[in-house]
Amino acid sequence: LDKIEQLQMIPDSGAGEDWQDDYPLTVIDDIEPSTLSKLHELGVTTTKQLFNQCANEDAIYQLASDIAVEDFVIQRWVSIADLLRVANIEADDANLLEATEIYSLFDLSQQKPQRLHEKLSKTNMNQPRSVAVPEADKCQVWIEHASHILKHR
């Protein structure tokens, strides 16, 4: 199958109730156990729930107040949850993308595959986060799927 046919077979993550990947919040590197407990008390236990609950700035500020964490920290977590919507992006990949200043599906969709691979490699060299940096062809599939999700919102 060519890449377009493969993309058409993948559900439109984030559109309605379709969700490509839903992970426990423990996949986000910097959520401390005490904060994780506070999130669980509020019914937020997965990346999908976090992404849905923090749909706008007011919701982010409210959650920050509820769990006594700075709003920019929650925005980082929401960025990772957003990136996890892309097929074949795993938790380590999402954390690496976020560390590379790719904060959203839109940011990802604007990348060039080879350049993204280079940026990820550089970030991983300076701040090791991933065992294997994705090659440019995998980055291209991520970029295409991010664009596909955005187009079908």
Side-chain angles (χ1 to χ4, degrees), residues 14 16-17 19 46-56 59 78 81:
E17 285 303 307
W19 191 264
T46 69
T47 55
K48 177 181 179 180
Q49 291 167 336
L50 178 68
F51 183 79
N52 288 338
Q53 179 154 341
C54 295
N56 59 52
V78 172

Side-chain angles (χ1 to χ4, degrees), residues 49-141:
Q49 291 167 336
L50 178 68
F51 183 79
N52 288 338
Q53 179 154 341
C54 295
N56 59 52
E57 284 188 28
D58 289 341
I60 291 170
Y61 292 134
Q62 183 60 55
L63 183 60
S65 174
D66 291 345
I67 65 171
V69 171
E70 294 287 337
D71 59 286
F72 70 88
V73 174
I74 293 177
Q75 183 57 56
R76 179 182 182 277
W77 302 341
V78 172
S79 294
I80 292 168
D82 189 21
L83 293 165
L84 285 169
R85 296 166 46 188
V86 175
N88 300 315
I89 288 185
E90 301 297 329
D92 286 344
D93 301 322
N95 281 293
L96 179 59
L97 284 161
E98 194 278 337
T100 308
E101 300 181 358
I102 307 297
Y103 299 119
S104 67
L105 294 183
F106 178 77
D107 292 345
L108 181 57
S109 73
Q110 300 302 301
Q111 301 301 306
K112 301 287 185 226
Q114 185 59 42
R115 182 69 183 118
L116 178 58
H117 167 73
E118 292 166 5
K119 289 195 288 191
L120 293 171
S121 296
K122 182 177 180 182
T123 299
N124 199 52
M125 189 181 324
N126 294 332
Q127 311 166 37
R129 295 182 176 266
S130 184
V131 177
V133 174
E135 295 299 325
D137 59 339
K138 187 172 187 178
C139 292
Q140 180 174 348
V141 172

